[in-house]
Amino acid sequence: MVNRWLSRAAIAVAILAAFALAFALTPPRGPRSMREFDASRVADLEVRMWQAYYAKQRTRLFALLVTLLHEQYHYSWATATLEGFHLARAAATFGDLRGGYDVVLPDLETAYAKAKSWTHAEFDPRAVAHAELAWWVARRVPGQNSAEQIGALIADEYALLYETTRARVADAALLRAQAASLRDAQAGPPDWDRIARLLLQSYSELRSALSSEAV
C-alpha cells in the first residue's frame, strides 16, 4: 500500500516538474521583434526599475527586468531570467562604481548578443553595449550630462540597436534623457509621476517612429 502511494506521488511530482519545465522554457506568443512593444507597459516597468535601482532594491530590479524581457522580447521565463541576470548585474555593478566602468561591458554584450540572435537582428552587440555604457557614464560627468547631450548619446544607441537613423529616434531619445535629468535634478523625492509621463511619451514616440519606418 505504501509503495503504491509512493509510486503515485512520484508520478505526480514528475508530471508537475514536466509542466513547470515546459512553462519555464516555452516563450509567449508574439513576434520576436524589438520594434513591436507596448509603450505604456515598457514605460511603467522602466519607471519602476529606476525606482528600484536608486533604492538599491536589487531583487526587485531583477524581477522587473525579467518581466520586461519576457513580455516585450517574448523570451521564455528561463531565457528572460538568464538575460535579466546579466542586465541587472551590469546595472548594480555600475551603481557601485566610481571608475573602471568597462567591467560591466561583458554582461551588456552577452545580453545584447542574445537579443540579436533571438530577434534575428543584424546589429553589433558590442557596439550597442558600448553606446549604452557611454550615456550611463556621461550622466555622471558635469558638463556632459544635459538632457540634450544625454539624448544624443541615447539616440546613438537606438540607431545601432534598431538599425535605423539617429534622426528617426532623436525625439524619443531626448524625452527619455529629459526623464533621467528630471530624476537627477531634484533635491527632494523625485516627481515620479512626471517622470513616468515623459517615459510614456518617449516610448510612444519610439514605437511610432519604428512603425512608420516599417511601412
Side-chain angles (χ1 to χ4, degrees):
M1 186 71 177
V2 173
N3 287 339
R4 183 181 299 174
W5 181 87
L6 289 175
S7 178
R8 289 177 178 175
I11 292 172
V13 169
I15 291 172
L16 288 173
F19 274 111
L21 187 62
F23 177 77
L25 297 178
T26 303
R29 294 181 179 178
R32 293 188 181 187
S33 172
M34 289 181 292
R35 289 170 166 264
E36 298 184 32
F37 54 85
D38 181 338
S40 62
R41 180 61 170 162
V42 173
D44 176 63
L45 286 169
E46 177 147 320
V47 74
R48 287 194 279 156
M49 285 191 289
W50 285 12
Q51 291 169 334
Y53 173 82
Y54 288 108
K56 294 192 178 296
Q57 298 171 337
R58 295 183 176 179
T59 300
R60 181 171 177 240
L61 174 62
F62 175 69
L64 289 166
L65 266 171
V66 171
T67 300
L68 175 66
L69 293 169
H70 175 70
E71 293 183 7
Q72 305 304 326
Y73 281 28
H74 294 97
Y75 284 159
S76 68
W77 282 113
T79 300
T81 299
L82 179 59
E83 302 314 312
F85 167 77
H86 289 295
L87 291 170
R89 185 168 66 177
T93 300
F94 180 83
D96 293 335
L97 294 173
R98 291 298 176 267
Y101 299 116
D102 285 358
V103 298
V104 308
L105 284 172
D107 276 322
L108 292 177
E109 289 180 35
T110 296
Y112 282 117
K114 180 61 179 180
K116 175 183 177 180
S117 65
W118 185 263
T119 60
H120 307 294
E122 298 295 333
F123 65 81
D124 180 349
R126 185 174 184 275
V128 173
H130 278 77
E132 179 156 335
L133 181 58
W135 69 263
W136 287 10
V137 173
R139 287 183 63 198
R140 293 184 171 183
V141 182
Q144 298 180 25
N145 59 358
S146 69
E148 290 73 19
Q149 290 169 310
I150 301 302
L153 292 173
I154 295 175
D156 288 340
E157 181 191 359
Y158 280 173
L160 292 168
L161 181 63
Y162 297 108
E163 301 172 70
T164 187
T165 64
R166 290 183 76 262
R168 188 172 290 276
V169 295
D171 290 343
L174 178 59
L175 285 163
R176 192 176 178 202
Q178 288 172 343
S181 293
L182 180 61
R183 200 233 67 92
D184 293 344
Q186 295 178 303
D191 185 346
W192 289 114
D193 287 340
R194 187 178 171 197
I195 291 168
R197 289 194 296 272
L198 282 168
L199 287 174
L200 176 57
Q201 287 180 271
S202 174
Y203 283 109
S204 296
E205 172 61 33
L206 180 61
R207 180 73 172 87
S208 176
L210 296 175
S211 296
S212 63
E213 185 178 54
V215 173

